[in-house]
Amino acid sequence: QVQLVESGGGLVQPGGSLRLSCAASGSTFGISAMGWYRQAPGNQRELVAMLTSGGVTNSTDSVKGRFTISSDNAKNTVYLQMNNLKPEDTAVYYCHVRVLFKAYWGRGTQVTVSS
């Protein structure tokens, strides 16, 4: 089993920055992908950015050029650097890790962008 702990959310003004982190523990051998989804009130959960074991990064068009995903394999941790935040980025951000056919989710961390 894999446990995920997220941190780094908060309240920022438009144009501000936040850095999310997600630390994985437990049976982390064989992780094939890890990254971030988000869900705003009334909306479906959507992909933000995902990093595969092969080094391929996928991200939604709305965050390209503003958000950067990275990882520290020694710490089993994935990060999301969010710059130039916009009000429409407001959502609960969920860490996501895949191990073979299993999917693991963090509890989520709130990101609020408001002036």
Side-chain angles (χ1 to χ4, degrees):
Q1 298 295 103
V2 174
Q3 295 79 46
L4 306 176
V5 179
E6 303 134 317
S7 63
L11 172 65
V12 297
Q13 292 185 331
S17 298
L18 285 174
R19 183 174 183 250
L20 306 183
S21 65
C22 173
S25 62
S27 301
T28 57
F29 179 81
I31 290 177
S32 59
M34 53 185 179
W36 299 90
Y37 284 70
R38 67 185 180 186
Q39 187 168 20
N43 293 347
Q44 294 185 331
R45 190 170 298 185
E46 65 176 357
L47 172 72
V48 178
M50 190 67 59
L51 184 65
T52 70
S53 60
V56 177
T57 300
N58 296 313
S59 62
T60 186
D61 289 342
S62 64
V63 308
K64 289 180 178 177
R66 301 188 298 121
F67 293 7
T68 301
I69 188 170
S70 62
S71 66
D72 185 336
N73 292 335
K75 298 180 179 179
N76 293 316
T77 301
V78 63
Y79 305 93
L80 185 68
Q81 179 67 46
M82 305 185 294
N83 297 325
N84 191 25
L85 283 161
K86 303 176 180 180
E88 52 263 40
D89 295 319
T90 296
V92 177
Y93 285 69
Y94 297 92
C95 181
H96 178 70
V97 172
R98 298 195 68 85
V99 182
L100 296 176
F101 294 102
K102 293 184 177 295
Y104 299 91
W105 296 91
R107 290 288 186 179
T109 183
Q110 177 71 48
V111 171
T112 302
V113 185
S114 179
S115 59

